[in-house]
Amino acid sequence: MMKFARDHGKTMIVSEGGMMNFTADNGATDGLEQARGALWVQRLFGLLDYRGPIPNQPGTYDLSRVITAVTYIDLDFRYGWDAVPDGTFDFPPDSTWFVDGRISRYGAARTAFCQGLAGTGFTTRCR
């Protein structure tokens, strides 16, 4: 998708991004939130500044500057999308979503996010 956008002189926006906590074997991730949050953020910024191969395509590509904006859902998901503790849409404890997706909640993720902002030329800065 990024190559298509670049080839057609277009930019992209990543909308509604949020930390995910997947494991390759669907194993439990309890207690790994700090490290997994930082890894997710590092991968996000790696995508924003991607230079390298694309599967099934010859050569390497500079796709750095294709994504020009990102919206991050910085939300405590313990009570679902509406944040109302009524049991109607709560995320289960073993969900692949971070139960609390606020970057400020995870020191390593926040550090990675601030470093990513500073290193990619975004105008928004961490406070």
Side-chain angles (χ1 to χ4, degrees):
M1 191 181 322
M2 289 172 66
K3 179 184 178 306
F4 180 85
R6 190 214 55 186
D7 290 349
H8 290 85
K10 304 292 183 187
T11 59
M12 294 178 61
I13 295 173
V14 173
S15 63
E16 297 190 21
M19 286 190 283
M20 300 294 280
N21 203 11
F22 288 116
T23 57
D25 62 359
N26 286 331
T29 58
D30 297 342
L32 300 175
E33 292 85 0
Q34 292 289 342
R36 303 289 294 183
L39 178 61
W40 185 91
V41 170
Q42 290 163 351
R43 287 179 173 169
L44 170 67
F45 282 102
L47 179 64
L48 299 179
D49 195 35
Y50 186 75
R51 295 173 183 95
I54 297 174
N56 302 315
Q57 298 287 318
T60 59
Y61 299 87
D62 181 353
L63 300 176
S64 58
R65 297 190 188 93
V66 172
I67 297 173
T68 58
V70 175
T71 1
Y72 181 78
I73 303 172
D74 198 46
L75 183 67
D76 182 347
F77 289 104
R78 284 179 286 183
Y79 304 114
W81 299 110
D82 58 6
V84 177
D86 60 7
T88 59
F89 197 66
D90 298 355
F91 283 90
D94 61 349
S95 170
T96 56
W97 285 84
F98 272 69
V99 176
D100 186 343
R102 296 172 293 178
I103 286 181
S104 60
R105 174 94 165 68
Y106 306 100
R110 185 183 189 289
T111 297
F113 194 81
C114 293
Q115 289 171 342
L117 285 175
T120 54
F122 277 88
T123 56
T124 302
R125 297 286 178 246
C126 287
R127 292 181 225 151

